[in-house]
Amino acid sequence: VDLFDSMADSKDSPGPAKTAVSYNTMIGVFAKAGRLQDAYSVFYAMKQCGFQPDKYSYTALIKAAVSSGDVDEGRSLLTEMESEAGIDADSHAYNTVIKGLCDRLRWFEAKELVTEMEWNGVSPDPVTYGLLMNGLLRANKPGPALTLFESACADPRTAARVQNVQIYTTAVTAASMIGDHARALGLVARMMDAGVKPNLKTFTSLMGGC
């Protein structure tokens, strides 16, 4: 931070000048620290000095907003990024907001954002499905979590995105939560048939259904 503050705001000033990269680096630093106001200060200073915020700038600021607990601000920034700045958001930016919504049990809003994500041409990835399924489990909705998993498995466009140990384990956990031990066992067999190796958490979830 001290090094950044010591840099000149323009190339006309003596000494090394701040660049778009240095501004983005500081936004990222404050984002990781959850210091939203500091991240905003650097973001606005960046624009005042003639640098156009890019995908990294907005994604880092979205992370800062969500990390500080203001998921609504994160969603607003996501909209601003695409609608006003004309920058295409990627799955990482969407997943950051989706995670914030799921962590607060705002699952229906998270699902709406996934629909918006797809409408804007961004495909949900394995992280997206994992967030949604875990969000449903936290909301005590294991049945819908399994429905989401099976729907993704049945669709050739999305089947490959749920073929990993984390998502299968979440499905096993969901089956165990509803007391369907046979289904949990069947899911473990399916994952092994698909070449996905169960881990300790998988077997712990399976035992929870016994």
Side-chain angles (χ1 to χ4, degrees):
V1 176
D2 291 338
L3 176 60
F4 177 77
D5 289 338
S6 69
M7 298 171 72
D9 289 329
S10 71
K11 294 179 181 179
D12 297 330
S13 303
K18 294 171 182 172
T19 65
V21 173
S22 61
Y23 277 108
N24 281 340
T25 299
M26 287 311 303
I27 293 172
V29 167
F30 287 132
K32 288 180 181 179
R35 294 166 60 177
L36 179 58
Q37 293 308 314
D38 288 325
Y40 260 122
S41 295
V42 177
F43 180 80
Y44 288 128
M46 179 182 189
K47 294 201 287 187
Q48 288 173 355
C49 289
F51 294 104
Q52 185 65 34
D54 56 16
K55 181 188 292 186
Y56 182 88
S57 314
Y58 273 100
T59 301
L61 199 58
I62 289 168
K63 180 177 177 60
V66 174
S67 296
S68 70
D70 196 347
V71 67
D72 291 315
E73 178 64 13
R75 189 166 187 178
S76 295
L77 285 165
L78 183 61
T79 300
E80 178 185 321
M81 176 182 181
E82 295 198 308
S83 301
E84 298 179 23
I87 300 170
D88 292 331
D90 57 16
S91 59
H92 178 65
Y94 276 101
N95 286 339
T96 299
V97 181
I98 290 167
K99 182 179 186 305
L101 291 169
C102 288
D103 285 347
R104 289 156 183 78
L105 305 184
R106 294 164 62 177
W107 189 84
F108 289 106
E109 292 175 69
K111 188 64 175 69
E112 286 176 353
L113 188 55
V114 173
T115 301
E116 180 183 316
M117 175 183 185
E118 294 177 304
W119 179 260
N120 288 330
V122 182
S123 297
D125 59 16
V127 174
T128 313
Y129 282 98
L131 290 171
L132 290 175
M133 289 178 65
N134 278 296
L136 284 166
L137 293 191
R138 280 194 292 271
N140 198 30
K141 297 180 183 294
L146 282 169
T147 300
L148 176 63
F149 172 75
E150 296 295 0
S151 296
C153 287
D155 189 334
R157 298 170 299 177
T158 58
R161 299 173 196 163
V162 293
Q163 301 299 311
N164 64 65
V165 65
Q166 290 84 7
I167 292 180
Y168 263 108
T169 298
T170 303
V172 171
T173 301
S176 296
M177 285 176 67
I178 61 176
D180 194 339
H181 186 54
R183 187 169 185 177
L185 280 171
L187 285 165
V188 173
R190 278 171 57 185
M191 71 186 290
M192 295 177 69
D193 288 342
V196 180
K197 186 177 180 179
N199 59 20
L200 179 60
K201 189 173 181 180
T202 311
F203 290 114
T204 299
S205 298
L206 183 62
M207 294 301 292
C210 296

